[in-house]
Amino acid sequence: MTLIPKAVLIGMPGAGKTRIGQDVADLLDVEFIDSDVEIEAQEGVKIPQIFETRGEQEFRRIEAEVILDYLHDFDGVLSLGGGAPMTDRVYDALESYIAQGGTVAYLDADPNEAIARASRSGNRPLLADGAAKKWRRLYSQRRPVFERLTNCIVHTKGKTPMQAAQNIADSANERVVHVTGTDPYDVRIGAHVAGHLAEVLGDKPVRIALIHTTPVQRHSDRARTLLRRAGYEVSDITIPDAEAGKTIEVANGIWKRLGEEGFTRSDAVVGLGGGAATDLAGFVAATWMRGIRYVNCPTSLLAMVDASTGGKTGINTDAGKNLVGSFYTPAGVLADLTTLATLPNDIFVEGLGEVAKSGFIMDTEILHILEENADALRAFDPENISDDLEHVIAELIERTVRVKAYHVSSDLKEKGLREFLNYGHTMGHAIEKLEHFRWRHGNAVAVGMVYAAELAHLLGYIDQDLVDYHRSLLSSLGLPISWNGGEFEDVLALMHRDKKARGNMLRFVVLDRPGHVVHLDNPPADAVEEAFRRIQQ
């Protein structure tokens, strides 16, 4: 297995790459290497002597060789000399490193502070005389290259070295899932990824409609601060929590406000909250001016693994859930793990229903991770999330998003492959409707998966052991596996309104083995009813 650095630091002389790099390494509990120190150790002389006796071109050759070696066989933190990225070989290697998931952090220091630090060092041959003037000339040449190359800019002015290091460590720990298709975008997963908000929005929007619910006020306050600091005008729009916010009345109120405040196609929407809030915000973005830029900031586990990816937006009607909506891809998704620290246990646990679904339909490693960590996940305490548990949660989110990305990248509008993501949803949506949305989505899907497993077993697709495994795994996570809240006739009528239905023909998604799903069209009526009876036990 090829090792790559956790992070690579670049920046001008005096930016603090060595000090901050060591702090980053300490935070990540890995080794720190300064390429300049390694060059001197390898050559047995100081860098100014290499410049003086062999010339800058030879130094850059040696520097590139050292850096490329570490980029291909080192899993610590690497700090580069100020001019290193200006060498084509190094620049290309850093681009390749980023493509492998690496973090290139550009320390953008205050010029006066950096010049003062650089001037105090006697080991900078390019700044030998007239340091300030030469530094500024190099800065004008290098800064555009640094900004073009980096995927993590850290402005160090006003920050302690440890604060800057924490920014880089957070970025290095991020997980990124690229969703391909007509309008590709990234799902970023990690602590403090909300800091990428302005970067994802870009410099075109003038006004931002920040749509959120009251329970996430703490997170919306932070988002508003980040947006205003970046120079955007922010319209704060609070909507009702959960499914009560996904109505035509709420959407109409937002459309009215956008009109009154002069929102145009040059403006944007940021949706922040649970899945219902981001569904509504995405729907508003998709319909205003026939579509304006949208960034999705899910704050619940369910939203991070389900509503955040795939471009589904919508509202509920009296006829059912999500029957009015659109497919509209966001500019990006920021799943900030710090928001989980305010998530009540029951809301966290319901999100595990969608996580388990992705394990059942494709990535069975998810099921193994859930099994091994069921006790800790079921007992989730927002005020006591250990580093180990956060790592488990991050991996579950990443794996679940990758499953969803696989299905939606080639089937945005749910005409084929994407329907397999609806495992457990035919019954689950019926339960939600009949319970007037008092049941949370993940809980309803958990029961829906047990129903689908019972139906598949009755028709010979899977054995009893796999049905029992559904029940044991889901219950170990604290999810419900039965429901006694309605009559079969009412459930059947709602199943016929399911989006997968074709005319009068019922259509289900069922397993034929762990990690693999198939369509089940128009199953025998007695099996459909018997499976229903079995989830009432």
Side-chain angles (χ1 to χ4, degrees), residues 439-455:
W439 266 56
R440 293 196 170 274
H441 177 71
N443 292 342
V445 167
V447 176
M449 286 189 287
V450 175
Y451 173 82
E454 292 284 8
L455 182 60

Side-chain angles (χ1 to χ4, degrees), residues 24-39:
V24 175
D26 290 343
L27 288 169
L28 297 176
D29 194 24
V30 294
E31 184 182 358
F32 171 71
I33 293 292
D34 182 320
S35 65
D36 282 351
V37 172
E38 292 304 303
I39 291 168

Side-chain angles (χ1 to χ4, degrees), residues 98-101 174-189 199-200 293 304 308-311 329-334 362 397-410:
I98 289 174
Q100 296 176 67
E174 287 176 10
R175 300 162 183 256
V176 181
V177 179
H178 188 61
V179 184
T180 60
T182 305
D183 297 304
Y185 58 95
D186 287 335
V187 179
R188 304 189 77 92
I189 304 156
E199 172 191 329
V200 177
R293 196 168 181 81
M304 291 178 185
S308 68
T309 307
T329 55
V333 177
L334 302 174
M362 183 176 171
I397 293 172
E398 180 186 9
R399 284 181 173 274
T400 304
V401 170
R402 288 194 185 281
V403 170
K404 188 154 191 181
Y406 168 79
H407 287 83
V408 305
S409 291
S410 59

Side-chain angles (χ1 to χ4, degrees), residues 250-469:
V250 172
N252 189 53
I254 298 174
W255 289 325
K256 181 179 179 182
R257 182 161 169 187
L258 296 183
E260 291 171 347
E261 297 186 10
F263 271 69
T264 70
R265 287 179 176 169
S266 297
D267 301 316
V269 168
V270 172
L272 189 148
T278 56
D279 277 356
L280 183 279
F283 181 65
V284 167
T287 51
W288 185 253
M289 297 277 178
R290 296 188 177 90
I292 63 175
R293 196 168 181 81
Y294 171 56
V295 177
N296 191 325
C297 298
T299 60
S300 70
L301 177 62
L302 180 71
M304 291 178 185
V305 300
D306 185 24
S308 68
T309 307
K312 274 189 179 181
T313 73
I315 57 175
N316 302 329
T317 70
D318 291 339
K321 183 174 179 179
N322 295 329
L323 294 181
V324 174
S326 66
F327 293 96
Y328 190 68
T329 55
V333 177
L334 302 174
D336 195 322
L337 298 181
T338 63
T339 64
L340 299 180
T342 57
L343 204 61
N345 172 273
D346 60 331
I347 298 179
F348 174 83
V349 167
E350 71 135 341
L352 296 174
E354 283 285 352
V355 174
K357 178 206 74 179
S358 293
F360 281 122
I361 70 170
M362 183 176 171
D363 183 1
T364 55
E365 181 60 26
I366 290 174
L367 303 178
H368 299 148
I369 296 170
L370 290 173
E371 282 184 69
E372 292 170 3
N373 299 278
D375 291 344
L377 292 167
R378 184 180 64 252
F380 174 83
D381 179 358
E383 296 182 358
N384 187 29
I385 305 174
S386 67
D387 290 343
D388 288 344
L389 183 58
E390 182 176 296
H391 178 80
V392 168
I393 293 169
E395 183 172 1
L396 288 171
I397 293 172
E398 180 186 9
R399 284 181 173 274
T400 304
V401 170
R402 288 194 185 281
V403 170
K404 188 154 191 181
Y406 168 79
H407 287 83
V408 305
S409 291
S410 59
D411 183 22
L412 175 64
K413 298 192 175 180
E414 201 167 13
K415 295 180 179 179
L417 183 66
R418 184 173 182 155
E419 279 193 340
F420 290 142
L421 291 169
N422 288 319
Y423 184 57
H425 285 56
T426 302
M427 174 60 71
H429 283 163
I431 292 173
E432 288 181 272
K433 175 63 177 172
L434 290 171
E435 291 287 353
H436 304 287
F437 300 109
R438 290 188 295 267
W439 266 56
R440 293 196 170 274
H441 177 71
N443 292 342
V445 167
V447 176
M449 286 189 287
V450 175
Y451 173 82
E454 292 284 8
L455 182 60
H457 174 54
L458 284 167
L459 297 175
Y461 285 85
I462 61 174
D463 59 22
Q464 183 63 48
D465 287 347
L466 187 49
V467 180
D468 294 342
Y469 181 65

